[in-house]
Amino acid sequence: MSNLRTMRAAILTICLLSYTLGVLASDTTDSLLARLKTEIEQKAMYDHQKEQRISMMRDSLQQLPAGNSAQQFQLCSRLYEEYKSYKYDSAYVYVSRMSPLADRMHDAVKVNYTKMKLGFILLSAGKYKEAFGVIETIDHTGFDDATLESYYAVMSRAWCDLAAYNNDVTWSPSYRTKGLSYSDSAIRLVHPGSYGARFLAGYRDYNNGNNAAALKEFLAFYQQFKPASHDDAIATSLLSELYQRLGDTENATNYLIRAVIADLQASTKETLAIFKLAELASANGDIDNAYIYIQEALKDAAFYGARQRQIQISAVLPLIAAAKVNFVESQKKRFLIYLSSTIFLLLVIILISFLLYKQLQQRAARERLIQQNNAKLAAMNQELMAVNAQVVEANRKFAEDAHIKEEYIGYFFNVISGYIGKLEKIKIALEAKTVQNKLDQIQSITSQIEVNKEREALFQTFDKVFLKIFPNFVTSFNALFKKEDQLWPKDHEMLTTDLRIFALLRLGISDNESIARILQYSAKTVYVYKMRQKARSIYSSTEFDQRLMAIQAVEMPARIEEHITA
């Protein structure tokens, strides 16, 4: 029951800390994985930058005088720091050069400091026997607090790493106890709340199994100091381990990815982070990325020269490789199934498409037949509409022709009836005077007949009827002449003499003598009128006649026109 309460309290503490201090955990796993992929692609660039820094230090070391042991020791120490997590062999070379320089300076502190550095890289390389053989000979007398703290930290790591390496119930507990005691010694030397105090306190709780306390301490440390590069990788790797112990897989994964990114940026080759990430990815079924990470971990371990890492990776690599092979095979099977399904569906689609094509062809044939029938019906409809229009037009023309026929027959009937009435009156009067033998009064009767007035009335009647039949005659006729040669009737006139001559010509009376008889002119006069006007036209004589005869008339029955012409 107490364990359950402890677990609940731990989880509550983690949630509160994640809310208040877990700023970096806000990134999603997908975005972190995308960043990691980019950083792996830039790995060679980071390594090149580190090699350039190392090369400059080596050049500086070579330029130092042989007798300047102090500066040589300092530069060798800096080169060791660059190499200690990058390449074991090179770090070993420079820490080995530090030892004779310390002896040459007769500085016991530097001699023991060098042994401490040598023990550290032997631990990193997994050479525990050699490492303990060196660190147990260290005399830490004379170390200042900072160096002594580093010494205790190295001793704590040595025993804790040995406990983790053995991982048994016989030896590991005692080794871990020794490691924790050195950790407590280191904590007593640092200022409370300082960088080292926070880290060592969290590391002690981590090794003690106090996961909630360790998580709280490391989150506070991470938030307060925001460690850079290699220390960032160590802190985030430990945070990932703690989250994993407490069952928070998402945060464990995110912080482990951050640790790998920090290692890549610092060109750290002595690292467990990418190896653990490969294991985690494999456990989550992400075989492709797991294989990439395990390959990178193996290259880093081989480059650094960490034998225990190579052994660990070699034990896991076949499992991940086999999983990848199985994954590839399953992908192949899925692909084959997918391909077979696709081919089957394609065949079904082709069959359906063929059937649809046949149906569409049949439908298209029916539609073509329908279109042809529709075209025929449309043509017939057009013909019917045309016939109907002709019928309507014929009816309209018939009505107009009937109206014109009635109008002009009635008009000429009235005119002729008037003349007949006048002749009848004259006849009766003449017969009466003859019977009465009043021959002297006959002259008075005949004098009542005004021939010129009657002729003028006849011309007016002709003009009126002609312009009724040819309403555009005057305008069309004048279009055959220049403006100054055009003939326009005066206000009291309907047609002039010239226009009347050509009006008779338009009606088909082309004989000069006939025209002269109608108009009571001589044939010569009519001829002169005709020739004079034709000479003034803008067209030749032949074309003039054609255009004159082309002047349109309102449509009327041929008999009426013949009657008018006669």
Side-chain angles (χ1 to χ4, degrees), residues 5-17 212 246:
R5 289 176 181 173
T6 303
M7 182 62 70
R8 287 177 180 173
I11 293 172
L12 179 61
T13 303
I14 292 165
C15 291
L16 291 172
L17 286 170
L246 294 168

Side-chain angles (χ1 to χ4, degrees), residues 221-329:
F221 165 78
Y222 201 85
Q223 177 66 18
Q224 181 179 354
F225 297 106
K226 296 180 176 59
S229 300
H230 185 55
D231 288 345
D232 183 0
I234 294 171
T236 49
S237 182
L238 290 169
L239 280 168
S240 172
E241 176 68 23
L242 290 168
Y243 272 118
Q244 193 166 8
R245 288 180 185 180
L246 294 168
D248 189 345
T249 306
E250 182 178 0
N251 273 318
T253 303
N254 290 351
Y255 276 103
L256 191 54
I257 295 170
R258 292 180 183 282
V260 175
I261 291 172
D263 279 336
L264 288 167
Q265 292 173 344
S267 291
T268 300
K269 306 301 181 182
E270 197 280 305
T271 173
L272 270 174
I274 196 165
F275 170 65
K276 289 182 178 179
L277 185 61
E279 289 185 312
L280 191 59
S282 177
N284 292 333
D286 187 5
I287 303 302
D288 282 341
N289 281 328
Y291 191 74
I292 293 171
Y293 302 151
I294 198 71
Q295 290 286 347
E296 291 296 325
L298 184 61
K299 284 191 287 187
D300 287 347
F303 184 85
Y304 181 78
R307 289 184 298 178
Q308 86 281 13
R309 296 280 185 269
Q310 294 181 56
I311 293 169
Q312 286 177 302
I313 294 168
S314 298
V316 175
L317 179 60
L319 300 177
I320 295 178
K324 182 173 177 59
V325 170
N326 291 333
F327 178 76
V328 171
E329 289 297 324

Side-chain angles (χ1 to χ4, degrees), residues 261-414:
I261 291 172
D263 279 336
L264 288 167
Q265 292 173 344
S267 291
T268 300
K269 306 301 181 182
E270 197 280 305
T271 173
L272 270 174
I274 196 165
F275 170 65
K276 289 182 178 179
L277 185 61
E279 289 185 312
L280 191 59
S282 177
N284 292 333
D286 187 5
I287 303 302
D288 282 341
N289 281 328
Y291 191 74
I292 293 171
Y293 302 151
I294 198 71
Q295 290 286 347
E296 291 296 325
L298 184 61
K299 284 191 287 187
D300 287 347
F303 184 85
Y304 181 78
R307 289 184 298 178
Q308 86 281 13
R309 296 280 185 269
Q310 294 181 56
I311 293 169
Q312 286 177 302
I313 294 168
S314 298
V316 175
L317 179 60
L319 300 177
I320 295 178
K324 182 173 177 59
V325 170
N326 291 333
F327 178 76
V328 171
E329 289 297 324
S330 65
Q331 288 294 98
K332 284 182 180 179
K333 289 179 181 178
R334 287 182 184 177
F335 176 75
L336 290 174
I337 293 171
Y338 173 77
L339 182 62
S340 301
S341 301
T342 303
I343 292 172
F344 175 73
L345 289 175
L346 183 61
L347 292 174
V348 171
I349 291 169
I350 291 171
L351 178 61
I352 294 172
S353 300
F354 176 75
L355 294 175
L356 288 175
Y357 174 73
K358 296 297 290 182
Q359 290 180 358
L360 288 174
Q361 278 190 325
Q362 294 173 359
R363 182 176 178 180
R366 288 195 296 268
E367 288 180 352
R368 283 196 298 271
L369 182 60
I370 291 170
Q371 288 175 356
Q372 290 173 359
N373 291 334
N374 287 338
K376 290 178 181 179
L377 289 173
M380 292 173 65
N381 189 44
Q382 290 292 331
E383 290 178 3
L384 288 173
M385 290 175 66
V387 170
N388 186 52
Q390 290 175 2
V391 171
V392 172
E393 182 66 17
N395 289 337
R396 184 185 65 78
K397 289 182 178 180
F398 179 77
E400 290 179 357
D401 292 346
H403 175 72
I404 293 172
K405 181 177 180 181
E406 291 172 359
E407 181 180 353
Y408 290 114
I409 288 175
Y411 186 79
F412 279 105
F413 182 77
N414 289 332

Side-chain angles (χ1 to χ4, degrees), residues 546-566:
Q546 292 173 350
R547 289 183 177 272
L548 176 66
M549 297 307 293
I551 294 174
Q552 295 293 320
V554 291
E555 295 183 6
M556 60 185 297
R559 292 179 181 178
I560 296 178
E561 187 172 359
E562 290 174 1
H563 182 72
I564 294 172
T565 303

